[in-house]
Amino acid sequence: MTKERNLYIKKLKFIFIIHMGRELYKFNQYLNESGLRATRQRGIIAKTFFEAGPHISVEELYHQVVEKDRRIGLVTVYRTLKLLRGAGLAQGRQFGDNHTRYEKTPGDSHHDHLICTRCGRILEFENDTIEGLQRKVAEEVGFAVLDHKLELYGICKECRSRGKKAGRKAPPTLS
Amino acid sequence: MTKERNLYIKKLKFIFIIHMGRELYKFNQYLNESGLRATRQRGIIAKTFFEAGPHISVEELYHQVVEKDRRIGLVTVYRTLKLLRGAGLAQGRQFGDNHTRYEKTPGDSHHDHLICTRCGRILEFENDTIEGLQRKVAEEVGFAVLDHKLELYGICKECRSRGKKAGRKAPPTLS
DNA sequence: GTGAATATGAAATTCATTTTCAATTAAATC
DNA sequence: GATTTAATTGAAAATGAATTTCATATTCAC
Ligand SMILES: [Mn+2]
Ligand SMILES: [Mn+2]
Ligand SMILES: [Zn+2]
Ligand SMILES: [Zn+2]
């Protein structure tokens, strides 16, 4: 049991350590290793983030955080998300709208996205054949691929069967 | 010879009509059909855009435009690019950096991009197999794809052979 | 040419995100 | 537990790309 973990127990009264997921623990570890401090705010924000659905926007996360602690500011949410990125625990993504969305770094494999431009729904998919072809294309021009982004924009199953009626969310604008 | 074309001749003294590409002519057509006006500014901005390299940023285009006519404002460049998009003649794209880049709508086929995060170079590629697989993936979840975006980020051939030396442009930040 | 409608550019505004800074807090050391 | 100091916080200000406003200028149908 590490020093950091003990500190957390002392501060947050045991219950917390029982429920602290691996990700939250890793975040704590990262903070310590980096000489950063494990603050109440960071704990709440990270915990909320890890328990939230995928592709949460900063604003959405902020709203959920504020429900737990009214005093936490939006700035600290931004700052903590940046730390989570630094820790390799979160990834920021920009879909069509003008809001960065965050998701937990997927355990092993990479995935891409299908975005419904009518209702905003985001589906994930994985396709190794595509990934392989991407690598091949890059190789052909001498490119060393470090990262990639594949997004399919269109109308989801639900929206299609619902016909032309308006969806639930604002549709993102494509440039 | 349409009315619009004649007007252009009258205004810009024949030379222009000779050199007016199909795209510029189409833009004129679009303006007319839409009840919009073919102004000096729009002409200069569109012509500059069509003659510029691919993936030009708004700021870059603005600089080139200002060299031809110092009085043209950045706002008008933004507005004209929006019109060109509306006419289907230009497409806006966001690569890693925080600047929208524009390119002429490609004649027929779709292409995707390889972006060097070290020097900013942007290469284009086309791969029908990937496109086909995308459609297949989408079908499987009942998604009707309207558009897609595939970007490969990495280090280009030139930057790789140049070793670890700094490149020419500012590297875009990945989220 | 005239006039109504559209376009322009400067300045103001928006909106996501970042920076600044005085006050607060974590945590190492006593 | 108290002391100390460097990191953190949140409010407010700043940033920067893109848009809107609005008074003036221009287009173009008549
Ligand atoms: Mn995802
Ligand atoms: Mn291109
Ligand atoms: Zn939908
Ligand atoms: Zn390069």
Side-chain angles (χ1 to χ4, degrees):
Chain A
M1 202 170 267
T2 68
K3 197 169 63 173
E4 306 90 70
R5 196 152 187 173
N6 280 327
L7 279 170
Y8 241 90
I9 292 171
K10 231 173 14 184
K11 238 184 311 215
L12 290 153
K13 308 273 166 38
F14 194 66
I15 300 284
F16 194 44
I17 189 76
I18 295 287
H19 292 117
M20 180 165 72
R22 180 160 301 282
E23 287 154 330
L24 199 48
Y25 178 63
K26 274 190 182 169
F27 185 44
N28 243 331
Q29 243 182 300
Y30 172 79
L31 292 175
N32 257 278
E33 286 165 5
S34 314
L36 303 171
R37 291 173 181 174
T39 64
R40 179 178 47 85
Q41 290 88 327
R42 286 174 180 170
I44 293 173
I45 293 166
K47 188 164 190 290
T48 308
F49 171 67
F50 290 130
E51 290 170 356
H55 316 123
I56 193 169
S57 74
V58 182
E59 207 70 34
E60 283 163 8
L61 179 57
Y62 170 64
H63 287 316
Q64 295 190 20
V65 162
V66 159
E67 272 178 35
K68 297 186 185 171
D69 186 335
R70 189 164 352 92
R71 293 166 303 171
I72 295 178
L74 175 59
V75 218
T76 305
V77 174
Y78 271 105
R79 286 193 274 230
T80 304
L81 284 169
K82 188 176 280 187
L83 289 174
L84 286 165
R85 254 170 28 205
L89 295 166
Q91 289 184 325
R93 300 195 179 268
Q94 318 260 160
F95 300 122
D97 58 3
N98 193 36
H99 293 67
T100 304
R101 295 183 167 273
Y102 281 86
E103 68 180 324
K104 299 184 239 182
T105 300
D108 39 5
S109 58
H110 177 90
H111 70 255
D112 290 296
H113 298 92
L114 288 142
I115 300 107
C116 178
T117 52
R118 189 169 295 167
C119 73
R121 200 182 314 252
I122 298 168
L123 305 179
E124 301 183 338
F125 71 91
E126 238 183 285
N127 189 302
D128 292 336
T129 317
I130 292 180
E131 309 268 318
L133 285 168
Q134 285 174 15
R135 242 173 283 123
K136 199 180 136 216
V137 163
E139 259 171 38
E140 278 167 18
V141 291
F143 218 91
V145 177
L146 298 175
D147 193 11
H148 74 256
K149 178 186 285 185
L150 173 53
E151 287 153 22
L152 308 181
Y153 295 90
I155 313 294
C156 74
K157 197 180 197 169
E158 287 72 18
C159 283
R160 287 172 74 192
S161 64
R162 206 184 302 149
K164 293 204 193 303
K165 289 171 202 164
R168 307 171 308 167
K169 285 187 186 181
T173 30
L174 292 177
S175 46
Chain B
M1 202 168 269
T2 68
K3 196 169 60 170
E4 305 92 68
R5 197 153 186 172
N6 280 328
L7 278 170
Y8 239 89
I9 290 171
K10 233 182 359 192
K11 237 185 310 213
L12 290 152
K13 308 271 170 36
F14 194 65
I15 300 283
F16 194 44
I17 189 76
I18 295 287
H19 292 117
M20 181 164 73
R22 180 160 301 284
E23 288 154 328
L24 199 49
Y25 177 63
K26 275 191 181 168
F27 185 44
N28 242 333
Q29 244 183 296
Y30 172 79
L31 292 175
N32 256 278
E33 285 166 6
S34 314
L36 302 171
R37 290 170 182 177
T39 64
R40 179 178 47 84
Q41 291 87 329
R42 285 174 181 171
I44 292 173
I45 293 166
K47 188 164 190 289
T48 309
F49 170 67
F50 290 131
E51 290 170 356
H55 317 122
I56 193 169
S57 74
V58 182
E59 207 70 33
E60 282 162 8
L61 179 57
Y62 170 63
H63 286 316
Q64 293 190 21
V65 162
V66 159
E67 271 178 36
K68 296 186 186 172
D69 187 334
R70 190 163 351 90
R71 293 166 302 172
I72 295 179
L74 176 59
V75 219
T76 305
V77 174
Y78 272 106
R79 287 193 274 230
T80 304
L81 283 169
K82 187 176 279 187
L83 290 174
L84 286 166
R85 254 168 30 203
L89 295 167
Q91 289 185 326
R93 301 195 177 268
Q94 320 258 160
F95 301 122
D97 59 1
N98 193 37
H99 294 67
T100 303
R101 294 182 168 276
Y102 281 85
E103 68 181 322
K104 299 184 240 183
T105 299
D108 38 5
S109 57
H110 176 90
H111 70 256
D112 291 296
H113 299 91
L114 289 141
I115 300 106
C116 178
T117 51
R118 190 169 294 167
C119 73
R121 199 182 314 251
I122 298 168
L123 304 178
E124 301 184 335
F125 71 90
E126 239 184 284
N127 189 303
D128 293 336
T129 317
I130 292 180
E131 309 268 317
L133 285 167
Q134 287 174 13
R135 242 173 282 123
K136 200 180 135 216
V137 163
E139 259 171 37
E140 278 167 18
V141 291
F143 219 89
V145 178
L146 298 174
D147 192 12
H148 73 258
K149 177 186 286 187
L150 172 54
E151 287 153 21
L152 308 181
Y153 295 91
I155 313 293
C156 75
K157 199 181 199 172
E158 287 73 17
C159 284
R160 286 171 76 191
S161 63
R162 206 184 305 148
K164 294 205 191 302
K165 290 171 203 164
R168 307 169 309 166
K169 284 187 185 182
T173 31
L174 291 176
S175 47

